[in-house]
Amino acid sequence: MKKATLLNSHLSALVASVGHTDDIVLADAGLPIPAGPQRIDLAVSPGLPNLLPVFGALLTELQLESVILAQEIITASPELHQQLLARIAEAAIAQGKEIAVSYISHEQFKQDTTRAKAVVRTGECTPYANLILRCGVPF
C-alpha cells in the first residue's frame, strides 16, 4: 500500500501518466465535462470532497508549471480565490520553481477543458471553483 498522501489509484495513475505541459482540470461539481478527457469523478455529495483537500493531495506528487483560473472566481468567490493563491504559492516554494497563475473567462475555461488529459470532479459547490493544472518537470 502507498504511504504517500495521494492514495486514490485513479489520481495516482493520472499523475504518473502526465508529461510536461499536459493539463489536468480540477473541477467543482457543476463544471460540464467534455467527452474527450478521462473523467475521474470523486464527487459523493455537495461539498464532499471539497476542492482544496483534493488539490493539496495532488500537489504532494504533481509538479506544476502553471495554473489557469476563471477570472470570475476573483469576484464571485474571493475567499476561495485567496486560499487557492496561497496554496499555489506554498507549492511553488515546495517544488523550488515558480508556478504562474493566469485568468481566462469561464466560457474559455470550459472550451479549454477539451484539451485536458483528465477532468477530476469534486463535490465542491463554490462558484467557479475550477483550475487547469499545467504539468511541469522537476528538473
Side-chain angles (χ1 to χ4, degrees):
M1 180 171 174
K2 280 184 74 165
K3 294 188 327 183
T5 302
L6 187 59
L7 297 177
N8 182 283
S9 62
H10 300 290
L11 294 179
S12 290
L14 174 62
V15 170
S17 73
V18 294
H20 187 214
T21 72
D22 281 342
D23 289 343
I24 298 171
V25 175
L26 185 55
D28 62 23
L31 186 73
I33 300 174
Q38 175 188 2
R39 177 188 183 116
I40 300 176
D41 197 340
L42 304 178
V44 175
S45 61
L48 188 60
N50 287 329
L51 184 122
L52 281 172
V54 176
F55 186 38
L58 281 170
L59 288 173
T60 65
E61 294 189 18
L62 188 64
Q63 182 81 20
L64 289 183
E65 182 171 283
S66 63
V67 175
I68 302 168
L69 301 165
Q71 61 194 21
E72 290 86 348
I73 194 171
I74 296 169
T75 56
S77 302
E79 184 177 332
L80 178 60
H81 177 239
Q82 290 304 311
Q83 291 171 329
L84 288 170
L85 292 178
R87 187 70 58 95
I88 293 164
E90 291 169 7
I93 292 167
Q95 72 180 23
K97 285 188 174 186
E98 182 181 342
I99 300 171
V101 177
S102 60
Y103 299 87
I104 57 177
S105 72
H106 186 61
E107 285 307 311
Q108 185 64 52
F109 189 100
K110 290 188 286 188
Q111 290 175 15
D112 288 359
T113 63
T114 61
R115 293 193 318 262
K117 185 147 186 160
V119 177
V120 179
R121 181 175 175 253
T122 68
E124 184 68 54
C125 292
T126 304
Y128 305 104
N130 304 291
L131 304 92
I132 297 175
L133 309 174
R134 177 135 315 137
C135 300
V137 291
F139 51 85

